Amino acid sequence: MYSFNHQLPNSVAAASSALGSADDGKFLAGGMTLLPTMKQRLASPSDLIDLAGIGDLVGISDSGDGVVIKAMTTHAAVAGSSVVQAKIPALAALAGGIGDPAVRNRGTIGGSVANNDPAADYPAACLGLGATIVTNKREIGADDFFTGLFETALEEDEVITEVRFPAAQKAAYQKFENPASRYAIVGVFVAQTAGGARVAVTGASQDGVGRISEMEQALGGNWSADAVANIDVPADGLNTDIHASAAYRAHLVTTMAKRAIAAAG
Amino acid sequence: MSETGIGARVKRVEDQRFLTGKGNYTDDINRPNQTYAFILRSPHAHARITSLDASAAQASEGVVAVFTGKDIAAAEVGGLPCGWQIHNKDGSPMAEPPHPMLVADKVRHVGDQVAMVIAETRDQARDAAEKIVVEYETLAAVTATDAAIKDGAPQVHDEAALNTCYDWELGDKAATEEGFAKAAHVVKIDVVNNRIIPNAMEPRVALGDYDRSTGDYTLFTTSQNPHVIRLLMGAFVLQLPEHKLRVVAPDVGGGFGSKIFHYAEEALVTWAAGKLGRPIKWVSDRSEAFVTDAHGRDHRTHAELAIDGDGKFLALRVSTLANMGAYLSTFAPAIPTYLSATLLAGVYTTPAIYSEVRAVFTNTVPVDAVRGAGRPETSYLLERLVDRAAKQTGIDKTELRKRNFIQPEQMPYQTPVALQYDVGDYPAVFEAGLAAADYSGFEGRKAETESRGKLRGVGISTYIEACGIAPSAVAGALGARAGLYESAQVRVHPTGSVTLFTGSHSHGQGHETTFAQVVSDLLGVPFEAVVVSHGDTAKVQFGMGTYGSRSLAVGGAAIYKACEKIIDKATKIAAHILEAAEADIEFKDGNFTVAGTDKSMAFGEVALAAYVPHNFPHETLEPGLDENAFYDPLNFSYPSGCHICEVEVDPDTGVVEVAKFTAVDDIGRVVNPMIVEGQVHGGVVQGIGQALLEGCVYDDEGQLLTGSFMDYAMPRADNVPFFTVAQKSVMGASNPLEVKGVGEVGAIGSPPAIINAVVNALEPLGVEDVTMPATPMTVWQAIQDAQAR
Amino acid sequence: MPTVSMTVNGKSVSADVEPRTLLVQYLREHLSLTGTHVGCDTSQCGACVVHVDGVSVKSCTMLAAQADGAEVVTIEGLDDNGTLHPMQEAFRDNHGLQCGFCTPGMVMSALDLVKNNPSPSEQDVRDWLEGNICRCTGYHNIVKSIQAGAAAMRG
């Protein structure tokens, strides 16, 4: 790592202002992506603004029609939360499948959502459930939040404080893992919500996480794996790498969507 | 059998320190006033260095020194030597281009070492290295094995025309052609044995130290063979005499071949420690390991098998292209030739075999021995070929194997490719394998799998390998520049406890336990009274180290010989004290007894007498009880086995799951069954890794795309099942312990069983071949291609 | 340089460290607790797993500063003057280690598993070990060890 200053503000406002005054500051949540990137010397922030000192950024609550997860809540806490398990079991299962146990003990929902890694799991859940990302400045719907690979609607000094997930009538997530990194080659989150069916895909597209409207429409009238079985996702615009060609990813999107729908019941 | 002797399941003495965090690995060692080295490496696969400016690095905070290729070129040091010389078909020697410690003119692979920065801390060294300004003129690179010999391919070395290191042959070409002329069937196959990256969990570390007051150098290093490193580095690179150079390989976190070789960093830190008079530590990080630890395999082979109307193999011809990487690593040239082509008979009576191997240089990391080294390539080729032959001839794959097995009564069996198998019973091992795997129950399991919408296949591999490397005379005749004996010293202390000094090196194999069992059993002393010392050239007599499943077959034999000498000497002492003739002394269960009497001395009493020789006739009986032995094997040892794999394939995704894996191996006498089973488990999983997961990929520019665990798929706990492992031991191996070696069998026997199973599962879909690693995409694509035909 | 203070294996420790100091560096280089190993640089291999405030973490992916005020337990903190913890004993009894390099991380991960799941199935163990790579054992005896260790801890 390159040298940096470590700051530990005790409020969101202080964190935001610390970032504003740093030369090239970065927020540090769980650090599960940022620290490895810095170890490889691929990032060289002047200051790490550590959000761990802010007491009121951890916790999970029942909002009646869903759950609210504060930004610094770990994946392990979400996976193990009886509230999440009861309200949105698919979300608890998704969190329990992120990385490995030690990563889940440090990694946070806010960090994952803010980072928007194109192969991360949480963005698919946010988009699939129609979550609302709450910051120190505003509330942003998931559909407007994820804007591209590692890109979000967040401003530089904007801090995610919580993510609000509405419960769905049915939901499930199916991930096809990269055999090496175990990140998603393709992950599909499906949900039957009050506003209709939602299908969100991570890992596949060159534009990052996104929805598949053709599948959502097909599921609107017929919530079954068969409804999407014949929908061929175009390979154009999908990622190609040594683990999966665009054509293979396209095939996996449909396959994982079918499996997710079946799993959702 | 005693509870701790040969054959006993003794818990390991090593484990206490490893389990409590008290292991002593190289990076755990620190010396007073220590500095840290960072190696600046080439980001290009092939480029000329047009300029290098280290002035900013020199001035950087904490920097002690910066050395570049020019400094090395100006110093009186050699390059990294190659330990094996192969000759071309025309008798001329292989091309052997220089391999400098730091490159001055042209870099030849990503990771090639360009400069070394030494600073007070690791971070300072790295910070400074980034300030070295190197200008490169990039050149076109060649990375693929088959691309290296194409017209117009970039030339890696001026000394190697057409990138060819050697073009070698073995076997009787004319007799082979005659066999093909008589054939009823000719079965052809092309196989790629994929390049793998060894990835021992402990990255390499080298710590060099120099004592100005004595002129003594010390190197602490992650090595499987510290004496070999001392010899290669001292004699060939740094010109340091052995008595002024100590090499210590303490606890080493796995090797799998990758820590056999002499690497530039070892010589660099030792050399620079002498220049600076301060200790220098270099620690590889994992990313660095990916582009500097020698890789393995990377063979492309075309083979043809001639078969008569009865299904008997008549002749085999094989042509292999082997990738050496950018430079010749220590044993690289021997892998595709004497460790691979010499096994082409397999367990079969094929009477005529002809093999040719062309080795090529490419702009990739050097390739050398990785667990199995040459033998996995041959077993994969043969066992894939036999399965294909079964399909083509319509003879069941078990029946075809049985028709062609060398029979036990044919032993010793001279193969047409130089080796003479000493003992083995391949039909019996095969039957034991089929039984252990419940082969006859496969169809029932297949039906169950199919009821869940998946495919199931079964694959067999009946392999043989040559290990216990190696008879020095044979190795020397074949181009080895070293002998391949092993040494042991048995030092009996005055109260009867024993220190064994072995030239072998343990880096996971459990020698401290197994070797103590052997000594305890042979000398009749308690297991707890034996301690094993290894890995330090200042303590241990010259030894050749651990690789090629040689530690027990060769090192154990040396222990046996040294123990024999101890018993001989102790018998003399006992005879003197008991006032009997030597011939009348019997040694049994740790007691020396005058035959037919109750006059007896315990081993410990004899030991004490040896060191308190108050009335010894000193002209004929020396005091002391301390003997050493060097053992040079009479032959290789020949483990064989039958591995049977069942896989389930998800046709929708291409995911292959190893559902059931059975390994029945003949490894001769078993000293510690617990350790033996562990060696097979580990070897099999490296085989599963090669077969299903571990693909090493370079792009056309020579960048390693699988340069971290994020892209290079290591087998993890959820990739593998529990295994059924058993031994079918055939005694009589050509060494005193009758052991054959177990370190590599798992990695040699398993890949063909796995791929044969995958192909078997996919047969209903029209798939005839699947390449390694059979990743989900590879399998899915194979299915798509077959369906499109 | 900022000061970090924490409790490691029951002892209070404090040191001035550069902010870029990783927890694993702090343990190995400042406290000479070299039982915790570094096997990769991408947070995948798990050789560096320790417990921080009762849960397993990868100490190569955590700053020492992030452990300020925390309760840290390393492999050196498990045995009782050389008497092995039941999980360590199970690894020895079942030959769950060969070269020993991944072992400290394996044992620390195993203990976190057993805390969450006192009676893990084979599949539970295999799934839990997703972040711990071993190159020697083929995992067979590690899985057996952890199941045996869990059984011993249940008493």
Side-chain angles (χ1 to χ4, degrees), chain B residues 227 486-493 497-506 511-512 515-516 519 523 530-544 551 554-560 562-563 566 611 625-631:
Chain B
H227 284 94
E486 195 48 89
S487 69
Q489 179 173 9
V490 175
R491 178 174 299 166
V492 181
H493 302 294
S497 65
V498 179
T499 301
L500 166 69
F501 299 90
T502 172
S504 303
H505 186 276
S506 186
H511 294 164
E512 292 171 38
F515 288 1
V519 171
L523 298 184
V530 184
V531 68
V532 177
S533 176
H534 68 95
D536 183 347
T537 63
K539 290 185 186 167
V540 179
Q541 69 290 341
F542 193 91
M544 290 303 294
S551 296
V554 188
I559 295 168
Y560 185 95
C563 286
I566 290 285
Y611 290 97
L625 197 51
D626 191 342
E627 299 286 346
N628 65 26
F630 285 74
Y631 177 80

Side-chain angles (χ1 to χ4, degrees), chain B residues 266-329:
Chain B
E266 295 172 318
L268 282 168
V269 297
T270 308
W271 174 78
K275 294 271 170 233
L276 303 177
R278 290 182 66 180
I280 303 169
K281 183 190 265 190
W282 170 79
V283 181
S284 173
D285 61 27
R286 180 60 57 187
S287 300
E288 211 171 357
F290 269 94
V291 294
T292 64
D293 293 2
H295 293 178
R297 319 282 194 259
D298 206 341
H299 292 185
R300 280 157 196 265
T301 299
H302 174 77
E304 300 184 1
L305 178 64
I307 306 175
D308 74 9
D310 296 326
K312 290 283 283 182
F313 303 159
L314 296 173
L316 174 67
R317 60 184 169 216
V318 180
S319 176
T320 293
L321 203 55
N323 197 336
M324 297 284 105
Y327 302 97
L328 288 179
S329 177

Side-chain angles (χ1 to χ4, degrees), chain A residues 1-2 39-41 176 178-183 241-245 247-248 251-252 255-256 258-259, chain B residues 123 126-127 130 287 650 652-655 693 697 705-706 709-713 716 718-719 776-777 780-781:
Chain A
M1 284 193 206
Y2 296 104
K39 280 164 63 182
Q40 302 279 351
R41 298 196 165 205
F176 191 87
N178 177 317
S181 70
R182 304 300 183 96
Y183 274 82
D241 58 34
I242 57 173
H243 302 288
S245 63
Y248 182 49
H251 167 77
L252 287 173
T255 304
M256 292 299 113
K258 279 161 51 187
R259 291 183 181 184
Chain B
D123 280 331
R126 188 168 178 179
D127 290 344
E130 292 185 1
S287 300
D650 179 344
D652 289 339
T653 60
V655 169
L693 294 158
V697 183
L705 299 183
T706 48
F709 292 153
M710 296 293 279
D711 282 304
Y712 186 83
R716 304 198 197 193
D718 58 3
N719 291 122
M777 179 169 70
W780 178 80
Q781 193 62 53

Side-chain angles (χ1 to χ4, degrees), chain B residues 15 154 274 314 419 444 466 505 507 580 689 766 773:
Chain B
D15 290 359
L314 296 173
L419 298 179
H505 186 276
H507 32 278

Side-chain angles (χ1 to χ4, degrees), chain B residues 223-236:
Chain B
S223 176
Q224 300 176 214
N225 31 240
H227 284 94
V228 174
I229 300 306
R230 188 182 64 170
L231 177 62
L232 292 173
M233 184 174 83
F236 296 97

